[in-house]
Amino acid sequence: MRIIPLLRISILFFSLLLFNCKNEKNTTSDDKIEVSFKKEGMLHLKKRNTDSIIKKLDIEFAEDDYETQTGLMYRTKLDTNQGMLFIFPNEQIRSFYMKNTKIPLDIIYINEEQQIVSFQKNAKPFDETPLPSGAPAKYVLEINAGLSDEWNLEVSDKIEFKKN
């Protein structure tokens, strides 16, 4: 007769222990991931008509599937003179989102001729709403939110980049 209450208490204890371990694991896994910027090249933003340089940026590249899917996720900061350039094998309509991205961004879509075709400004951290290009793009540049307005970037302005 005493075995049944003891069994119930044991099951309850192990259930609580298992539940607490699972919750503890889930709440800390993403918080511990920290990725820092690695300069892999330079990018110049240029005015469309004059080719005058608007801004020079240190660039990190996203070229393979893993880099493209991860992007700037888990970053806690991005300096004003830094950005990430996504390079795709072809030009097509693109769409990005902000899953696991902790910093607000301006997303700049760029065509095969390296001209800006559209913007998604002030993308909100952790928002999984699709942010489409609206026009075919081969490149996507991510910079801190607000900088595309601060630098007066416009559709048809250009980029020029080189790898280290």
Side-chain angles (χ1 to χ4, degrees):
M1 297 279 207
R2 288 186 171 170
I3 294 178
I4 293 177
L6 189 57
L7 183 60
R8 285 183 183 163
I9 291 171
S10 297
I11 290 172
L12 180 62
F13 175 75
F14 286 113
S15 297
L16 288 172
L17 184 64
L18 181 63
F19 178 77
N20 283 338
C21 288
K22 278 187 176 181
N23 278 349
E24 195 173 305
K25 188 176 182 181
N26 286 338
T27 58
T28 60
S29 63
D30 285 349
D31 294 338
K32 291 185 179 182
I33 298 172
E34 189 173 319
V35 184
S36 52
F37 185 83
K38 179 183 173 193
K39 180 182 174 182
E40 297 175 320
M42 287 289 299
L43 182 138
H44 295 160
L45 290 160
K46 297 180 166 190
K47 275 317 234 184
R48 63 178 160 206
N49 296 328
T50 63
D51 269 350
S52 61
I53 295 174
I54 301 166
K55 196 71 178 171
K56 295 178 184 179
L57 300 175
D58 293 334
I59 290 296
E60 190 170 336
F61 293 98
E63 298 179 88
D64 63 29
D65 286 341
Y66 175 76
E67 292 169 340
T68 299
Q69 290 170 10
T70 306
L72 291 172
M73 287 180 176
Y74 311 111
R75 310 290 175 106
T76 55
K77 72 174 194 151
L78 186 67
D79 290 342
T80 302
N81 67 328
Q82 295 175 333
M84 178 170 275
L85 184 65
F86 295 78
I87 302 174
F88 294 96
N90 58 6
E91 185 178 68
Q92 66 183 39
I93 298 290
R94 305 267 171 220
S95 188
F96 276 45
Y97 60 92
M98 298 289 287
K99 182 179 181 178
N100 297 321
T101 306
K102 298 177 179 184
I103 50 179
L105 299 172
D106 284 349
I107 301 170
I108 304 169
Y109 294 100
I110 302 157
N111 68 16
E112 201 164 37
E113 288 78 37
Q114 298 184 359
Q115 291 183 317
I116 296 172
V117 294
S118 68
F119 298 89
Q120 288 286 349
K121 297 179 181 181
N122 298 305
K124 294 179 180 84
F126 303 106
D127 188 353
E128 294 187 38
T129 305
L131 302 167
S133 61
K138 179 175 175 138
Y139 307 97
V140 179
L141 177 62
E142 291 183 336
I143 57 175
N144 281 313
L147 291 179
S148 59
D149 284 340
E150 184 179 317
W151 298 337
N152 297 312
L153 296 178
E154 301 174 307
V155 169
S156 296
D157 285 343
K158 303 172 190 174
I159 66 164
E160 186 177 279
F161 65 91
K162 68 176 187 173
K163 297 179 181 181
N164 289 344

